[in-house]
Amino acid sequence: MPQKVIAIDGPSASGKGTLAQRVADALGWRYLDSGALYRITALYARNRRTAWDNEAAVAALAQALPVEFVEGSVLLDGEDVSAAIRSEEIGMGASRVAALPAVRTALLQRQHAFLTEQGLVADGRDMGSVVFPDAVLKVFLTASPQVRAERRAKQIGVPLAGAGFERILADIEARDEADRNRTVAPLQKLPEAHLLDTSALTIEESVKKVLDWYREK
Ligand code: CDP
């Protein structure tokens, strides 16, 4: 039986979050930002002075994450960390802790718990491969590194030329490389996933494409 899940996987800054949230709104389904769980784990480890490569200790923190998702905000230990988890530093930390198998296992059940009868749109790196392998629709979302760096720069108010921009581009390429080449749950396009390159598409066009694929099912 296919699961009532649309799995949207893809590299950093490909627009997964915006697309997944809009598709969820259009269908009246829930939304899971799985990357946020890895980001929160990285932040929590830093707050607890736990090294990002200490697998057992970070997995224990991930297992017991005191996190709540309340009206679009992320609360860690009751504190609003929605902005803090979006920094590039925490993004890098997320990528580091995400490479540890015990951390991924610790976060698995928490991700499964997001699925209810209402349906779920989930975005990340391994939604279709590991977390929801029976998803009714799988989408692999991408865009060129240049386009993704421009989107990220606009989001955080960095000019589209110069050292700040070059750093964003380099960070995106480094994270792509790390996410694709790790041994556990690497970023990959599954044969059954629909490829959606958004380099030349608006958000509306991307949302429509995914809804059309779902309705054709
Ligand atoms: O916003 P961006 O796409 O850059 O990152 P994110 O989706 O918030 O994910 C942050 C990091 O968490 C990624 O670089 C991945 O290494 C990791 N991640 C993962 O391994 N598996 C997921 N399902 C989601 C994120």
Side-chain angles (χ1 to χ4, degrees):
M1 261 290 272
Q3 291 171 303
K4 201 172 165 187
V5 174
I6 295 179
I8 301 182
D9 290 303
S12 184
S14 55
K16 300 182 299 292
T18 309
L19 175 69
Q21 180 75 69
R22 299 257 189 122
V23 171
D25 289 347
L27 293 171
W29 292 11
R30 294 184 80 194
Y31 165 55
L32 165 63
D33 173 4
S34 65
L37 292 173
Y38 291 94
R39 288 173 177 270
I40 295 160
T41 301
L43 178 67
Y44 195 41
R46 204 194 56 184
N47 290 351
R48 293 297 183 99
R49 310 218 186 293
T50 301
W52 283 331
D53 56 2
N54 184 340
E55 183 163 7
V58 177
L61 292 178
Q63 188 78 51
L65 222 49
V67 64
E68 288 168 276
F69 293 88
V70 184
E71 289 163 15
S73 296
V74 184
L75 306 184
L76 180 62
D77 254 343
E79 186 194 338
D80 189 343
V81 294
S82 319
I85 60 167
R86 294 295 150 201
S87 74
E88 286 304 316
E89 188 216 343
I90 294 301
M92 275 295 182
S95 190
R96 296 267 297 280
V97 302
L100 308 173
V103 172
R104 305 198 72 87
T105 305
L107 291 176
L108 201 53
Q109 218 205 326
R110 206 179 277 271
Q111 296 175 79
H112 288 157
F114 275 80
L115 176 57
T116 64
E117 280 173 16
Q118 196 181 346
L120 182 69
V121 183
D123 88 57
R125 304 293 190 283
D126 63 342
M127 296 301 97
S129 59
V130 176
V131 184
F132 299 109
D134 299 316
V136 61
L137 176 68
K138 298 180 186 181
V139 176
F140 189 82
L141 193 69
T142 192
S144 68
Q146 177 73 24
V147 167
R148 288 187 280 131
E150 286 172 8
R151 287 180 187 158
R152 182 54 50 89
K154 281 185 197 148
Q155 212 175 41
I156 56 180
V158 168
L160 298 185
F165 179 76
E166 291 306 321
R167 211 169 314 123
I168 291 173
L169 183 59
D171 177 66
I172 281 181
E173 287 175 335
R175 203 124 60 83
D176 281 2
E177 174 89 3
D179 290 349
R180 285 207 178 92
N181 294 318
R182 68 184 179 208
T183 46
V184 51
L187 175 66
Q188 56 178 321
K189 183 197 165 299
L190 300 168
E192 70 271 28
H194 293 256
L195 180 67
L196 185 57
D197 186 327
T198 65
S199 301
L201 293 184
T202 64
I203 291 171
E204 287 69 29
E205 288 166 334
S206 307
V207 172
K208 182 171 182 308
K209 193 86 213 154
V210 174
L211 290 174
D212 286 348
W213 281 330
Y214 173 64
R215 287 178 184 134
E216 283 162 15
K217 285 277 165 183

